[in-house]
Each structure stands twice: as C-alpha cells, then as structure tokens.
Amino acid sequence: MSQTESKGAGGAGQENVFSEEQLAKMRAEMGLDKPFTIQYFHWLERVVVHHDLGVSLISKAPVSFLLKTRIINSLVLNLISLVFITIFSFLLGVYFSSKAGTRTDLAATFFALFFHAFPGILLLILLQLFASVSGLFPVTAYPDFPISEAPAKFVFSYSYHIFLPLFASFLGGIGGTMRMIRSTMLDQLGMPYIMALRARGISERRIYLNHAFRNTLNPYITGSANLLASLFSGSLVLEIIFSYPGIGRLMYDAVMQQDVNLVLANNMFISALVLLGMTISDILLAIVDPRIRYGKN
C-alpha cells in the first residue's frame, strides 16, 4: 500500500504512504471493514446467486480465470499419478500376496514401508538435486513454451519434464496402497468361501482373479473417496519445488499475499473434490458389489 516517487529537483526519493482516511476508504470499497462472517456470507451470496468468484485482491484478475488456467495443469498431473499408482498397486499387491512369507515379499514390504515413511519433500529435493547434477532431466516440471505453439512437441516435452515429479509421487503413494491391497488379499484368501472353492477343484488363478481380487475392491474404493482431494493438496510441495504452474502453487501465493477471494475459491474447489470423490465411490461400490444396490425392495 505504498509507492515511491522521485523528486525532480534534488533527485531524492520520497516514500509516500497512504493516509488513514485513504486506507479506510479502500477497506470499505473491498468490504474488509466488516466482520469476517459478514464478508463470508457476502462472498457466498455472490458465488451462489451471481456465479461470480470475485476478483483477486492482488492481481485484479478474475478468480475464475486464474483457477481455470491452473486447474487443468493440476488435473493432468494428478490424474496421471492416480492412474499409475492404482494400476501398479493392484498388480504388485496381488502378486506379493501370493508370495506371502517369502524373501521377495519381505523385501517388497520393507521398501513399501520405507518409501511410505520417507519425507516427500526430501525426496523431491533429492530428485531435483539429481537432475541438476546429472543434467539428465530438467529441474522444472513444465515446458517453456505453450501448447498452442507446437502441440506434438509440447506433449513429448511435458512428459520429459514431469517424469521426476511423477516418479516421486509414485514412490510416495504406492507403498501404502500396495500394502493395503496385499493385506486385504491375504484376508480374503483365508475366508471359508476360498477353502470351499479350492475343495471344488477351482484353479488358483481363477480364485485369485475372479473371487479374492474382486472382494479387495470394496475397501480400496471406500478408502479412496478422498484420494483425489488429497492428491491436489499433496501436490503443493511438488509444484513449489519443481516450479509447476498448478493450483497448489497458486494457492500458496494467495495465502502468503492474503488474497482472500483466491483462498476461498480454493477451499470451495477442494470441498467439491471431496464430494465428487464420495459420489464416485458410492457409484463404483454399487457397480462392483451387487449387495450394495439402491432400489425398490
């Protein structure tokens, strides 16, 4: 709220600070002179009734415009990470459940626990240090040219830039998910219906894939209801360290600059992701398990 102007005669600089009357007028124009609860309900009315997220207090740009450009980048990054974590977690969890008690299973469990407990920020810093020293990968996670300039080149360059951040996200997320699927598979394999299937002479491959594996989907789907929202929240450190233009980095800057409109819009977006995740979870549970169906009795 201050500006510096140079005086013409002596060339000396003089710092001109806004007066108390000017500050009070600006607070009144922005609505910052009212209690926080009143400010929040005014913001809520503007969003619900007028479908307007407001204007950034710092850049003076519409909040919807700032979010739209960053949400797409974060969606692409987190959806790619979610797909890889899910696929490899199921493959490794089912495989190591068949090797329970062996040295291979013990080694896999050790590395899963190690990377699950390893600090994510330290892993990201080490990978960025590796990229800087070796020169094999860029230290930033986004190309230096827009997709409109060369779409095909952008896709290859984007894949090259996000390899290390995705690798760090993969190592940090696969440990807990793989252990959950492995333990659920072992729990299902000890059930009486599995013994009955084996007594009927059904092959182990069919027991694993058609019966035990299907029943492991229920706890995974239930536990992953908040996974999408947690991925967006967890990518904050990644976006800051690797200079990725995502919504997490935008919200970090908004919090540091006390940009209220941007922070409230981010909270609304994360809450919408939680509701969306719960809705998708309920739908998938009804599809996977015939016992969970909503309809007339």
Side-chain angles (χ1 to χ4, degrees), residues 78-155:
N78 288 286
L79 286 179
I80 293 175
S81 176
L82 179 61
V83 168
F84 275 100
I85 289 175
T86 302
I87 292 176
F88 281 95
S89 295
F90 273 103
L91 291 176
L92 296 177
V94 172
Y95 174 76
F96 287 119
S97 65
S98 64
K99 306 290 183 181
T102 62
R103 292 183 178 179
T104 304
D105 177 57
L106 292 175
T109 303
F110 170 78
F111 283 108
L113 287 171
F114 176 79
F115 285 112
H116 183 65
F118 198 83
I121 184 172
L122 180 58
L123 180 61
L124 289 169
I125 293 175
L126 290 176
L127 288 177
Q128 190 180 57
L129 182 62
F130 167 76
S132 177
V133 173
S134 65
L136 299 175
F137 295 95
V139 295
T140 58
Y142 200 80
D144 56 355
F145 61 94
I147 188 173
S148 57
E149 181 177 317
K153 182 181 177 181
F154 180 87
V155 171

Side-chain angles (χ1 to χ4, degrees), residues 9 18 24 106 112 118 132 146 156 173 186 215:
F18 283 98
L106 292 175
F118 198 83
S132 177
F156 286 103
L186 290 176
N215 288 328

Side-chain angles (χ1 to χ4, degrees), residues 53-57 61-68 250 259 261-262 265:
L53 294 177
V55 178
S56 170
L57 300 180
V63 172
S64 56
F65 171 77
L66 296 175
L67 290 179
K68 182 175 66 175
L250 177 67
D259 197 338
N261 289 337
L262 261 178

